[in-house]
Every structure is written in C-alpha cells, then in structure tokens.
Amino acid sequence: KAGVTQTPRYLIKTRGQQVTLSCSPISGHRSVSWYQQTPGQGLQFLFEYFSETQRNKGNFPGRFSGRQFSNSRSEMNVSTLELGDSALYLCASSLFRTDTQYFGPGTRLTVL
Amino acid sequence: GESVGLHLPTLSVQEGDNSIINCAYSNSASDYFIWYKQESGKGPQFIIDIRSNMDKRQGQRVTVLLNKTVKHLSLQIAATQPGDSAVYFCAENMSGGTSYGKLTFGQGTILTVHP
C-alpha cells in the first residue's frame, strides 16, 4: 500500500506570497493532520481534518488554513508568507482520528 | 537576530549495544504514546506505540516502557545498528474532546551508532 505523499517536495517563495501544499493520505485513511517542523520550535501541530471538516486546530495565525476533499486528500494554504514560515511541513494520515498517524516525507518551504 | 534552535539530547552507542532513549511527557491526561524515527530529509517513521492501560510493549528489536506515575516513556533498541542512527521523537495524544488527531511531540533525541 502506498504511503502518504506530499507535493511539492521543495518550494521557494518570497515574503508576501501565498503557497498551497498538497497531501494524499494512505488509501482508506480518513483523518489528515498537518504539522510544522522547525529547528527552533520542533514539531508543532497545525490542524486536523476528518470527513472534510476541520476538527482541531493548533496555535497558528489565521494565515494558515486548510481543507479536505471528499477523497480525503488535503491541502494547506499559507497566505502572506513571512520569513519565519520557512519550515518542513508534514502531513500525517490515520484510519480514524484515534489511530496511529503515518507521516509523509514533507514539503520543505523556504521563504526569501 | 540570531536564531536559537532546540538543543537536542544526543546518544552515541557502538554497533551491537542496546540503546535507551528517554522522554518525559507533559500531560497526565495523555493516554496514547508513540515513538517515531526521523532520518535526515525524511518524515517521521512510526516505530511503536503504547496505550495507557499498558506499561510495556515489545516489537521487533524495540521495547517501549511507560511509567504514568512519573510521566516517563522510554524506547529500548536492542542490538543497535548503524541504520538506527536518526532523531527519535516521542509523541503523546489525549483521546477525546478537542485532542483527537493532535500529537504533541517531544524535542527529540539524536542517536548516533558507530560501527
């Protein structure tokens, strides 16, 4: 069974731009969570989607948003990019909300 | 200004030794714990998990111990191999309410295995 896939793998943007990252969960998984990983803050939870609805949200500004489609694929969007948004963005999927989360390889975002 | 990164604990072992990686978790209400391994340039890889109704769980070459009294989790790797070199994270989750789907991660431990 294919794992979690994320596209693109690498992205370079400039301040003020916006970006959309995509995540395809493991087939049959219905819950998708997003995390930000930086050297300074470690791994931090962004939000979780289940059945096309955001169920949980971390402590990030409103510039960070996401959505989930009927096939469980998810996207996250960051608007008005700041230098501090440079990070590895990780997507994880699980069968249901209480199950083990399996991570994708991440999207490395660099903001110049 | 100068950026300050997390100072991750490090563990260096010789190939064939047993490794023990420790983690103190923060929320006494957490009831699900997971260990992940992250190699350079990759996403975290699931190793083993344990729920709060257990205090020990074994997998292939790995054992997780949970001590709820002191909120401590450990990962034991038997016969450590160079391929085990990575950053290891513990994560906790509290089922119910608004915590579903949200993992809280520890800072990580860098394991280096010398041949």
Side-chain angles (χ1 to χ4, degrees), chain A residues 4-6 21-34 48-53 66-76 91-97:
Chain A
V4 178
T5 58
Q6 293 187 244
L21 312 181
S22 181
C23 171
S24 292
I26 293 171
S27 178
H29 284 196
R30 297 174 58 192
S31 174
V32 173
S33 296
W34 288 88
E48 182 237 355
Y49 286 87
F50 180 77
S51 292
E52 301 177 63
T53 302
R67 58 178 175 168
Q68 185 181 37
F69 303 94
S70 59
N71 62 358
S72 294
R73 191 177 70 84
S74 177
E75 289 180 347
M76 68 163 282
C91 163
S93 76
S94 59
L95 195 58
F96 295 105
R97 300 181 71 202

Side-chain angles (χ1 to χ4, degrees), chain A residues 26-84:
Chain A
I26 293 171
S27 178
H29 284 196
R30 297 174 58 192
S31 174
V32 173
S33 296
W34 288 88
Y35 296 84
Q36 182 196 64
Q37 186 174 27
T38 61
Q41 299 296 320
L43 275 151
Q44 294 189 294
F45 172 79
L46 279 158
F47 27 65
E48 182 237 355
Y49 286 87
F50 180 77
S51 292
E52 301 177 63
T53 302
Q54 186 181 95
R55 305 288 179 163
N56 207 342
K57 191 177 191 308
N59 188 26
F60 279 83
R63 300 185 296 106
F64 291 81
S65 63
R67 58 178 175 168
Q68 185 181 37
F69 303 94
S70 59
N71 62 358
S72 294
R73 191 177 70 84
S74 177
E75 289 180 347
M76 68 163 282
N77 184 277
V78 187
S79 63
T80 319
L81 285 165
E82 301 177 0
L83 295 179

Side-chain angles (χ1 to χ4, degrees), chain B:
Chain B
E2 182 180 342
S3 65
V4 178
L6 292 170
H7 294 284
L8 302 187
T10 60
L11 176 65
S12 290
V13 300
Q14 290 296 126
E15 182 177 2
D17 287 351
N18 296 332
S19 302
I20 299 176
I21 301 171
N22 296 302
C23 174
Y25 64 90
S26 57
N27 188 347
S28 57
S30 292
D31 55 6
Y32 179 50
F33 305 89
I34 314 104
W35 281 99
Y36 288 95
K37 169 188 179 184
Q38 187 174 27
E39 297 174 280
S40 181
K42 298 183 178 180
Q45 174 189 351
F46 171 80
I47 302 173
I48 191 168
D49 58 1
I50 188 168
R51 296 201 181 265
S52 60
N53 60 349
M54 303 174 68
D55 53 20
K56 180 179 180 178
R57 190 165 187 220
Q58 290 183 288
Q60 186 177 12
R61 283 202 306 119
V62 294
T63 300
V64 54
L65 299 178
L66 174 62
N67 185 330
K68 296 181 287 294
T69 303
V70 295
K71 294 191 290 185
H72 183 267
L73 197 64
S74 69
L75 176 70
Q76 300 177 0
I77 305 173
T80 316
Q81 304 166 359
D84 294 326
S85 295
V87 181
Y88 288 80
F89 293 96
C90 65
E92 60 183 291
N93 179 252
M94 182 181 71
S95 57
T98 59
S99 296
Y100 282 123
K102 173 184 177 181
L103 294 177
T104 300
F105 283 83
Q107 63 180 359
T109 296
I110 301 172
L111 174 65
T112 303
V113 183
H114 301 283

